[in-house]
Amino acid sequence: MSGTLAVLWAVASCAQGTGPRLEPLSPVSVAVNETVRVPIRVRNGGTEPLSLGMRGPDLPGFSRVASVRGGASGGEFRYSPLASHVGTHEVDILLLRGGEEIDRRPLVVTVTAASDAAPVFLRPGAGGTYDLERDPCVRFDVEVRDDDSPSVEIRARAGLPRGAMLEQTGPKSAQFDWCPTSDQVAASERWTIEMEADDGEHEPTAHDYVVVLRAGSRSGCGGSPPAIAVDAPADGARVGGPPFEVRARVTDDVGLRDVPLLYYSTVQPEDPDRPDPSAMQLVPFVESGDGYAASVPLELPEGAEQRVWFVVEAVDNDDPEGTACDQRAHSPLRSFTAVGAATGGAGECAACTSSLQCASGLCAAAAGGARCLPACGAGTGCSMGSCGDRTTVEGSVRTGCGPVAVVCGGGGSTGCVEDGNEPNDTLTAARVLTGTSTSGQICSGNDDYYRVSVEADSRVEVRLSGFRHAEGDLDLQLLSASGTILASSAGVTDTETAGLCMAERGELYVRVYGYRGAQNRYDLSVNRMPGACCADDAGEDDDARTAARRISGGSFEGIVCPMDDDFLRFVVTAPATVTVTIVFDAAMGDLDLELYGPDGTLLGYSRGVTDTETVRRDVTASGEYVVRVYGFRGARGRYLGEVMVSTRTGCTAHRDCPSGQVCDGGSCRAITCSGDAGCPSGTGCISVGSSGRRCAPRCAVNADCLDSEACKWLPEGRFCGERGAGANGAACSSFRDCGGQRACHPFRNGYCARVGCRSNADCEPGTFCVPVRGVQLCAVDCWAADEVCRLSEGHRCDVADDVSGRVQLVCLG
């Protein structure tokens, strides 16, 4: 080497050595669900605009549970591994200038199995809305994860609504099933299902699921709906997070009973003017300043983006006795783009979905939603609560201050002095009420229970008074011996009243409690009325659709009693016009009327305030129809009824025809086909599995189709077809087996999914639009657990690029 070249080489080497560089990183170990925090040091960083990045191993969900942040002065790598990450992996830590890599250092991470794991709930989420006009029952699956327990008991944490069941279906799964009665719908549209998961080794993990019931509106109601103002985010804004927060203010002339609800979706609703809340995810708001705040629970890697559509809904209390005349309002549909940003700075009690988001590294699971809690131990104490084991949302057991209710409000000492009836704060410790009245004091988090003996054929009226609502809202429930809710009163006045009939001699339990931790003194009175219950008609037992009595000759009559509806059935040869009418004395009791189709769909209802109720509907399906006659808010009364069926001939539109037929030249016909050329205008040729191909109406939204159909996303395009019941990824033989707008893709044993999506926004929550075998379909997201795929049938949880080019982990056949 010449002298000049040697000097130049030495100068270059010296310059290179003084530039910004990463310090070497020592290997680290971490257990599943715990969090490791590795300091990143930068040598000669100076004040340059540098940033840190990483290139991780190809592990399911790695980008969701690992992050790196920092710049020229250094930073930190955080990682909370999943159970599928056990093993030794190499992570490249990158030093970037203007997005370009200028240095890298390997970090060796060894992941070990969880040494101590508690149950965490994977499903359900915060809540859901159920349209009882489509399906009269509420059903949802419950699933928990526990990395060191073969089985977990899933049970109710408090009394379930009357008629509801929470049944264990597997080692770590359960199913909730409830068909609300008319009295339950009238009592409250919002019910909280309180559950817990117990592995026998830790404190049970609590989870609350809010059920919102939709049962149609009632005519003749007064009052004005609430006014909603959305403060943030602005429509179309870009929001960095998590958290991705929505803030709103709500006012009403009477007052709000419950906090507003945030409905959100990562799929654009079909009808922007009237978005369907049952197709969106639900998060209750919490009070914040002079308004309300709620966070959309998205976890996005830094730099990733996701469009979110949302609506704010509020219900007032214009109806002090129930829900039928409460007014509902919702904001216009808005959207924002969520942008994943560097996380880890969320403070104490901030809402969280991952421990990586918390400055303390501890996101604690809680019934009302996970919150960041302070860490403690090793000489660090707690300013509120006590230092102990806390279950994180990842399922690990960490030492932290708690519980959440104490640290973040609602569970601390209030200075309230309880009454002399204590202890009576549980069902088993209920105080026997021998007389007709008593007084008491409700303190925050401490309910009062009373046991009341009742003779057979008696009506019981319970009145709660003696408190001022403005100083602390108290509510009332009547329970069975098992804790099932039989009746309730939850208004915004200074009085609560609930009543019911007891057909047999027994004991009734009264629960007095404070709404959202309220405390107040009260007076309680019980009025027993022997012989005041309603006598059923001779048509009993006809108080369920499965036991409906047949209407003979078109006319019918009966008596409706509280909590005992009448169901009647009749046969229709479609197409036809069905008219059902009942007459009664409204002064004796307000009765209402509903009509159901052969598949159980609610076709129409009449809920007026006069002596007559009438439902008229054009129907296209032949079969057995059902009429329901029931009392509004437990009203009773005698009625006379009539069913008239007028056969219709011909058609002018495809909606005039039964499902599976189309209108062709004025007549409804089922037309087999081999291509679109063989189908009438406005229809196309679709496959129905082993049944061949048929003509079906084209559509854009569900409203273009019959009540028993959905606007299906088929390989041939958007067409009306039978709804079915299969969830995303369920087995199927044709689209008729698949619920909602799903088609049947030919994976092994079929696979229910929307087919023909163009972006992730076309897909339902929990699915991504991925190209598969020449088509694009909405595949099920499986990053949380492989078990969501049908593994026993040969399906797999695999890596695939979605249509936007992002890597996803989805179920494939």
Side-chain angles (χ1 to χ4, degrees):
M1 179 183 297
S2 70
T4 302
L5 289 176
V7 171
L8 290 175
W9 179 83
V11 171
S13 299
C14 182
Q16 184 180 23
T18 59
R21 289 291 179 268
L22 293 169
E23 295 282 5
L25 299 168
S26 300
V28 294
S29 295
V30 60
V32 168
N33 293 332
E34 294 184 356
T35 300
V36 63
R37 305 168 77 161
V38 180
I40 309 297
R41 296 180 175 83
V42 178
R43 184 174 65 243
N44 301 327
T47 58
E48 286 195 65
L50 305 178
S51 61
L52 298 178
M54 68 177 179
R55 185 174 294 113
D58 186 14
L59 296 172
F62 177 81
S63 61
R64 301 174 189 263
V65 295
S67 68
V68 65
R69 58 184 304 184
S73 59
E76 183 181 69
F77 168 78
R78 291 191 186 185
Y79 180 29
S80 299
L82 305 175
S84 58
H85 296 182
V86 172
T88 299
H89 313 286
E90 185 174 294
V91 180
D92 284 333
I93 303 299
L94 310 177
L95 183 62
L96 308 173
R97 179 192 290 126
E100 296 292 329
E101 177 185 330
I102 60 174
D103 194 19
R104 90 169 60 174
R105 289 285 185 177
L107 171 64
V108 177
V109 182
T110 299
V111 180
T112 59
S115 58
D116 189 12
V120 290
F121 282 82
L122 298 177
R123 293 187 293 172
T129 297
Y130 296 84
D131 188 344
L132 301 183
E133 296 181 355
R134 296 180 186 171
D135 187 334
C137 297
V138 175
R139 296 184 179 92
F140 58 81
D141 293 323
V142 182
E143 183 181 4
V144 301
R145 189 188 76 226
D146 191 323
D147 293 330
D148 65 352
S149 300
S151 62
V152 175
E153 181 186 0
I154 301 171
R155 61 185 180 234
R157 199 172 77 250
L160 296 175
R162 176 172 50 87
M165 291 194 314
L166 181 61
E167 182 179 3
Q168 192 108 15
T169 57
K172 300 177 185 179
S173 63
Q175 184 176 63
F176 178 84
D177 201 310
W178 175 38
C179 299
T181 65
S182 57
D183 289 343
Q184 289 171 322
V185 175
S188 178
E189 78 157 22
R190 199 176 299 185
W191 298 72
T192 299
I193 309 303
E194 301 179 15
M195 300 171 283
E196 64 183 14
D198 188 357
D199 64 359
E201 300 176 3
H202 307 89
E203 285 294 318
T205 301
H207 183 72
D208 287 350
Y209 182 76
V210 178
V211 171
V212 180
L213 305 178
R214 292 283 188 269
S217 59
R218 184 172 183 83
S219 60
C221 297
S224 300
I228 301 174
V230 178
D231 293 332
D235 194 19
R238 294 174 62 82
V239 180
F244 303 101
E245 191 174 65
V246 176
R247 303 190 68 86
R249 286 171 291 115
V250 183
T251 56
D252 183 69
D253 55 347
V254 175
L256 298 181
R257 161 63 188 164
D258 293 305
V259 295
L261 298 176
L262 173 67
Y263 288 99
Y264 74 93
S265 176
T266 55
V267 180
Q268 184 173 9
E270 287 192 350
D271 186 347
D273 296 326
R274 298 181 62 186
D276 180 4
S278 63
M280 305 175 79
Q281 304 296 305
L282 179 158
V283 177
F285 278 87
V286 296
E287 293 183 4
S288 177
D290 61 350
Y292 300 90
S295 294
V296 177
L298 291 179
E299 289 187 51
L300 296 178
E302 188 171 355
E305 297 185 4
Q306 175 66 63
R307 184 94 175 269
V308 179
W309 288 264
F310 72 92
V311 167
V312 178
E313 181 182 272
V315 178
D316 65 11
N317 282 90
D318 288 347
D319 188 345
E321 299 179 16
T323 64
C325 282
D326 285 345
Q327 302 288 326
R328 181 180 297 111
H330 60 81
S331 68
L333 181 69
R334 290 192 180 197
S335 71
F336 67 90
T337 299
V339 182
T343 60
E348 182 178 313
C349 291
C352 54
T353 57
S354 166
S355 294
L356 289 172
Q357 298 170 11
C358 303
S360 64
L362 198 168
C363 177
R371 293 289 185 271
C372 293
L373 289 184
C376 61
T380 303
C382 299
S383 59
M384 293 190 68
S386 60
C387 188
D389 288 345
R390 308 295 167 213
T391 300
T392 71
V393 292
E394 294 84 13
S396 62
V397 180
R398 300 278 305 281
T399 303
C401 300
V404 169
V406 173
V407 176
C408 301
S413 175
T414 61
C416 179
V417 179
E418 295 179 343
D419 56 57
N421 293 324
E422 296 293 331
N424 67 335
D425 51 0
T426 64
L427 194 71
T428 54
R431 175 73 60 177
V432 176
L433 188 62
T434 55
T436 61
S437 64
T438 189
S439 298
Q441 172 73 47
I442 291 295
C443 293
S444 180
N446 181 237
D447 306 342
D448 284 354
Y449 288 82
Y450 298 92
R451 180 156 51 98
V452 179
S453 297
V454 184
E455 296 297 322
D457 191 29
S458 295
R459 180 162 181 83
V460 181
E461 295 282 356
V462 181
R463 177 182 173 87
L464 182 68
S465 58
F467 66 95
R468 291 189 60 191
H469 164 79
E471 296 174 357
D473 183 22
L474 300 188
D475 291 327
L476 177 67
Q477 288 179 345
L478 305 186
L479 311 173
S480 71
S482 63
T484 298
I485 300 171
L486 303 176
S488 66
S489 179
V492 290
T493 64
D494 297 341
T495 303
E496 303 286 356
T497 303
L500 55 81
C501 274
M502 297 279 285
E504 299 178 357
R505 181 178 181 178
E507 292 183 326
L508 183 70
Y509 291 78
V510 178
R511 177 194 177 204
V512 182
Y513 62 102
Y515 175 63
R516 300 178 68 190
Q519 49 193 37
N520 217 324
R521 69 163 305 278
Y522 65 87
D523 297 323
L524 184 72
S525 62
V526 177
N527 184 17
R528 304 171 179 86
M529 296 173 281
C533 287
C534 181
D536 283 326
D537 55 53
E540 296 295 328
D541 181 19
D542 61 352
D543 52 0
R545 282 211 307 270
T546 54
R549 57 185 162 102
R550 184 177 293 279
I551 295 174
S552 177
S555 61
F556 56 95
E557 62 179 305
I559 298 173
V560 167
C561 292
M563 299 172 61
D564 186 24
D565 308 341
D566 283 355
F567 288 85
L568 307 103
R569 57 193 171 96
F570 60 96
V571 175
V572 173
T573 301
T577 298
V578 174
T579 305
V580 183
T581 302
I582 59 171
V583 293
F584 54 93
D585 186 355
M588 300 296 294
D590 183 14
L591 304 187
D592 291 328
L593 181 66
E594 294 177 347
L595 174 65
Y596 292 85
D599 62 350
T601 300
L602 179 62
L603 301 181
Y605 57 83
S606 180
R607 299 168 184 160
V609 293
T610 66
D611 293 344
T612 303
E613 304 285 357
T614 300
V615 175
R616 183 180 183 277
R617 189 65 185 248
D618 291 335
V619 300
T620 58
S622 297
E624 196 166 67
Y625 287 71
V626 173
V627 171
R628 176 190 176 210
V629 183
Y630 64 101
F632 173 57
R633 287 193 192 134
R636 67 191 73 187
R638 182 181 296 275
Y639 63 87
L640 297 174
E642 181 182 38
V643 171
M644 296 179 61
V645 180
S646 303
T647 302
R648 292 187 293 115
T649 59
C651 58
T652 58
H654 300 303
R655 279 183 58 87
D656 296 335
C657 299
S659 183
Q661 298 185 19
V662 295
C663 187
D664 183 27
S667 299
C668 293
R669 296 197 302 130
I671 302 176
T672 59
C673 56
S674 58
D676 290 349
C679 296
S681 175
T683 70
C685 189
I686 65 172
S687 170
V688 284
S690 59
S691 301
R693 301 179 68 85
R694 77 176 189 212
C695 297
R698 298 182 185 276
C699 59
V701 295
N702 287 344
D704 296 335
C705 307
L706 301 176
D707 294 326
S708 60
E709 297 177 331
C711 186
K712 297 278 186 174
W713 292 64
L714 305 176
E716 299 89 351
R718 303 288 300 277
F719 290 91
C720 295
E722 294 89 335
R723 286 183 179 270
N728 287 312
C732 54
S733 58
S734 80
F735 67 80
R736 291 179 293 192
D737 298 328
C738 300
Q741 300 180 331
R742 304 176 191 106
C744 183
H745 186 73
F747 282 156
R748 244 182 230 101
N749 298 326
Y751 185 98
C752 289
R754 291 185 180 186
V755 176
C757 54
R758 290 166 295 181
S759 70
N760 288 330
D762 290 335
C763 295
E764 297 157 300
T767 64
F768 292 100
C769 186
V770 298
V772 179
R773 300 176 188 172
V775 300
Q776 294 178 178
L777 61 82
C778 298
V780 175
D781 178 9
C782 62
W783 81 268
D786 291 2
E787 289 75 15
V788 302
C789 303
R790 290 152 46 201
L791 303 178
S792 62
E793 299 176 41
H795 290 213
R796 67 192 188 281
C797 185
D798 207 350
V799 174
D801 289 339
D802 65 23
V803 292
S804 66
R806 297 194 186 103
V807 175
Q808 307 293 352
L809 201 65
V810 292
C811 297
L812 301 174

